[in-house]
Amino acid sequence: MLTHVGQSASAVDGSSSSKAGWKDVAAAYVGLTKPRVIELLLLTTVPVMFFAARGIPPLGLVLATVVGGALSAGSASALNCVYDRDIDEQMRRTRRRALPRHIVAPRSALVFALSLGVISTIVLLVWVNPLSAALSVGANAFYVLVYTMLLKRRTTQNIVWGGLAGCFPALIGWTAVTGSLAWTPVVLFLVVFFWTPPHTWALALRYREDYAGVDVPMLPVVAPARTVARQVVAYSWVMVAVSLTLWPVAGTGIFYPVAATVLGAGFLLEAHRMLARTRGTEDLGVIQPMRLFHSSNLYLSLLFVAVALDPLIG
């Protein structure tokens, strides 16, 4: 990765970044962390802490876990931006990021990313516990080394296995409270694992021309929309089934399974609707993959809110 970073660092250092105002530069550094991704990851961390505590966990512990988790996710995202800046510059969805716009130099972004990673590890190690810190480091290493550098540009299954990194917050939230692992967070880990392909493939279907243009073999690039939609439906059914196993595994109250059933039914309805819209067409205006993408965000958010509320209501 250091060789990759160094290729254009000298050409960018001190050019566009020197012309940008400090507010633009600050916003660019924040953008490197992909704040929306951080929000989603924290949304799967904090509710699990409530569930693990069977109520409201210590606020200091929640704050330390949130800060450490946010810095860790930001570090991984920034490293991803550094490594992928060559293709980000060519894709409509990503060309406005800091590195393609040359507001931040690659070398500076690398230092920033590594610094966030070190600080996040210290925060989790000192104010949470060593297991949570180790899981955080492992998730980052997997995301950067396995997904970004190894899988993303080589296989259509890139997001299936690369998405494992995004499942770790469920484990981290649980271990932050309990100091150990159990089957309950593993179930929630698997929910996120099976949620990731439908969520990402819907977005990749919308931007498949971008991915094709930079030779990233996302499934929607190499397969017809109907094949993608069938895979989305299959993963969605497994995801909903796994979400319902939390009831017997963790001994939840009645609120969670009712919420999971209603939310799952809504998600499956949207997935089947997208499959129906792919019949005989590749027209994205007809298929409307972003409907499923936005529905997936809402589904995961509300499902984990139900995880947090269940012990409080019970």
Side-chain angles (χ1 to χ4, degrees):
M1 184 171 68
L2 293 177
T3 302
H4 184 88
V5 169
Q7 288 173 353
S8 60
S10 60
V12 177
D13 272 310
S15 56
S16 298
S17 60
S18 63
K19 300 175 184 178
W22 71 268
K23 290 184 179 179
D24 294 325
V25 174
Y29 274 104
V30 171
L32 286 173
T33 67
K34 302 181 185 178
R36 290 183 179 178
V37 174
I38 292 176
E39 289 174 12
L40 193 61
L41 293 176
L42 293 181
L43 192 60
T44 59
T45 303
V46 177
V48 177
M49 296 183 71
F50 276 71
F51 193 80
R54 295 291 175 173
I56 301 175
L59 295 183
L61 180 63
V62 173
L63 179 62
T65 306
V66 165
V67 170
L71 293 174
S72 178
S75 170
S77 294
L79 287 170
N80 173 267
C81 287
V82 171
Y83 190 81
D84 277 349
R85 70 187 187 281
D86 58 331
I87 60 175
D88 283 350
E89 204 164 316
Q90 302 175 56
M91 296 175 64
R92 286 177 300 160
R93 187 174 67 87
T94 57
R95 64 177 54 152
R96 298 300 297 169
R97 289 176 177 172
L99 290 170
R101 292 171 62 198
H102 306 304
I103 294 179
V104 177
R107 188 174 290 111
S108 300
L110 179 63
V111 171
F112 173 69
L114 295 176
S115 299
L116 289 183
V118 171
I119 295 171
S120 71
T121 303
I122 293 173
V123 169
L124 293 172
L125 190 62
V126 174
W127 285 286
V128 184
N129 59 57
L131 180 56
S132 297
L135 288 169
S136 176
V137 171
N140 273 11
F142 191 91
Y143 181 73
V144 176
L145 300 177
V146 178
Y147 170 66
T148 301
M149 299 178 68
L150 181 62
L151 297 177
K152 184 175 181 177
R153 308 190 192 202
R154 289 180 173 86
T155 172
T156 59
Q157 297 300 299
N158 48 19
I159 197 60
V160 175
W161 300 111
L164 281 169
C167 307
F168 274 75
L171 303 181
I172 293 169
W174 182 272
T175 58
V177 173
T178 67
S180 62
L181 287 169
W183 284 113
T184 295
V186 172
V187 171
L188 295 170
F189 177 100
L190 291 174
V191 169
V192 181
F193 175 76
F194 289 111
W195 167 88
T196 300
H199 168 78
T200 308
W201 284 336
L203 183 66
L205 189 58
R206 167 66 178 82
Y207 291 101
R208 61 183 175 185
E209 292 182 3
D210 273 2
Y211 287 108
V214 294
D215 296 323
V216 174
M218 299 292 286
L219 183 64
V221 172
V222 302
R226 191 158 183 81
T227 300
V228 175
R230 284 173 176 156
Q231 290 287 309
V232 165
V233 167
Y235 273 93
S236 298
W237 274 100
V238 176
M239 174 194 71
V240 173
V242 171
S243 74
L244 291 172
T245 65
L246 187 68
W247 183 16
V249 168
T252 71
I254 196 63
F255 176 76
Y256 172 80
V258 170
T261 299
V262 172
L263 292 170
F267 192 96
L268 288 173
L269 179 62
E270 190 59 49
H272 279 278
R273 281 176 173 171
M274 191 179 86
L275 175 60
R277 292 193 296 267
T278 62
R279 189 183 301 277
T281 184
E282 292 288 324
D283 186 347
L284 296 181
V286 174
I287 299 170
Q288 302 179 59
M290 293 304 286
R291 284 189 54 171
L292 181 69
F293 175 79
H294 294 304
S295 295
S296 69
N297 283 331
L298 183 61
Y299 167 82
L300 195 70
S301 301
L302 293 180
L303 184 74
F304 274 81
V305 167
V307 169
L309 290 178
D310 186 84
L312 299 178
I313 292 174

